[in-house]
Amino acid sequence: MIREITAKTAITRTKIPVAKYVINPYIGCTFGCLYCYARFIGPFKYTGYKWGKDVLVKTNVAQLVEKELIKTKGDFFLSSICDPYQHMEKKYEMTRKIIQILTSHFRKAHIMTKSNLILRDIDLLKDLSVTLTITTDREDVRKILEPGAPSVEERFETLRKLKEAGIDVSVFVGPVIVMDAEHLAYMLSKYVDRVMLDALNYHRQVQMVYEKYGWTDWLTKDKFLEVVERFERVFGKGSVRY
């Protein structure tokens, strides 16, 4: 279910290292990633809706950004509790409108997404930075853990096109899920010089799924460190952050 709402505010402070402020144009996310923290620690938990199916669209978010921007000084992050380029964005263009406002005021923004829809806005990204999230090289794993998100192939194609367009793009491998780590690292090394890895922090979200498919060893710290080591073989120790 898609519900349009009128938000009271648009810009909030954040502790995310790359920015001082965060903007979330949507509450909920149709990508429906099973491991996502936003389903239970963000405002979505108060909606009573189903994660991956129901989304609240802040239809007035662009107007609020325009109004609140004058009170801020610093960079922006899109987004912390939803993917700013989830399916709804194709219709509502909330993220595009926000970027247009930020760039028209010469404000910097960092965008994180799994979506190839970001290519629609490639004309706006020249002075911004983009992080593409690629968590696995296995499409079977993607379909189970990230059921509504773009395919692995689509994400690599998006990465290639962003690089060719001269966009400042990085890759986030997080959370670390089931993969062929050395293969994924090698594939990513064709496009970027460094990557950031993050461990899966909320095991309860996926515990039963991992048990069903025999993936429980991927819930251990040792497995995460093994992935780090495999990436460091390809990129070098100084080029893998975690």
Side-chain angles (χ1 to χ4, degrees):
M1 182 189 75
I2 308 305
R3 180 184 169 193
E4 298 179 357
I5 64 169
T6 301
K8 294 181 179 179
T9 60
I11 299 174
T12 56
R13 293 291 292 267
T14 181
K15 295 181 180 179
I16 295 171
V18 298
K20 189 174 183 179
Y21 303 97
V22 64
I23 303 172
N24 289 288
Y26 307 98
I27 298 175
C29 185
T30 50
F31 290 172
C33 301
L34 271 60
Y35 51 72
C36 189
Y37 61 85
R39 66 193 300 176
F40 66 94
I41 68 171
F44 186 84
K45 67 179 179 179
Y46 300 112
T47 65
Y49 295 147
K50 186 174 181 180
W51 181 253
K53 299 293 184 182
D54 302 319
V55 177
L56 304 181
V57 181
K58 300 177 184 178
T59 55
N60 64 328
V61 69
Q63 294 93 321
L64 289 173
V65 170
E66 186 81 66
K67 179 181 178 181
E68 297 170 13
L69 197 60
I70 194 172
K71 302 176 183 178
T72 68
K73 187 177 182 180
D75 294 352
F76 291 81
F77 182 74
L78 281 82
S79 298
S80 60
I81 58 169
C82 69
D83 193 301
Y85 283 100
Q86 61 176 292
H87 301 92
M88 297 304 97
E89 174 62 17
K90 187 172 184 179
K91 174 182 177 181
Y92 287 96
E93 298 190 351
M94 295 292 100
T95 297
R96 181 173 176 84
K97 291 173 185 176
I98 291 167
I99 294 173
Q100 287 175 322
I101 292 169
L102 293 177
T103 55
S104 70
H105 288 274
F106 305 101
R107 306 300 288 272
K108 295 290 185 179
H110 190 106
I111 303 165
M112 178 177 281
T113 183
K114 293 182 172 81
S115 180
N116 53 339
L117 182 57
I118 193 172
L119 296 174
R120 178 201 65 188
D121 295 342
I122 207 162
D123 60 307
L124 301 176
L125 304 178
K126 181 180 178 181
D127 297 320
L128 307 182
S129 59
V130 174
T131 296
L132 196 65
T133 301
I134 302 178
T135 50
T136 182
D137 60 332
R138 288 180 50 177
E139 184 63 9
D140 61 325
V141 173
R142 195 282 306 167
K143 287 179 178 179
I144 294 167
L145 297 180
E146 303 171 345
S151 69
V152 174
E153 182 180 356
E154 286 173 319
R155 285 186 235 181
F156 270 101
E157 182 67 4
T158 301
L159 180 59
R160 182 185 68 80
K161 289 181 177 179
L162 288 171
K163 291 292 290 185
E164 288 181 351
I167 305 302
D168 176 16
V169 59
S170 59
V171 172
F172 178 56
V173 184
V176 166
I177 57 176
V178 183
M179 66 172 79
D180 180 334
E182 202 150 346
H183 178 255
L184 179 57
Y186 171 73
M187 294 298 293
L188 291 174
S189 70
K190 296 179 180 180
Y191 303 100
V192 293
D193 297 324
R194 61 186 66 230
V195 293
M196 182 174 180
L197 277 62
D198 192 30
L200 178 66
N201 296 313
Y202 301 99
H203 294 179
R204 287 186 180 182
Q205 299 293 107
V206 297
Q207 183 78 41
M208 292 181 65
V209 174
Y210 275 47
E211 289 175 355
K212 177 180 178 181
Y213 291 98
W215 297 341
T216 52
D217 59 323
W218 282 88
L219 298 176
T220 65
K221 183 178 180 180
D222 286 345
K223 196 66 174 178
F224 172 71
L225 293 176
E226 178 186 315
V227 170
V228 171
E229 191 272 333
R230 297 282 178 89
F231 268 76
E232 288 179 338
R233 286 185 197 173
V234 176
F235 284 94
K237 286 191 175 183
S239 298
V240 179
R241 294 175 54 203
Y242 61 96

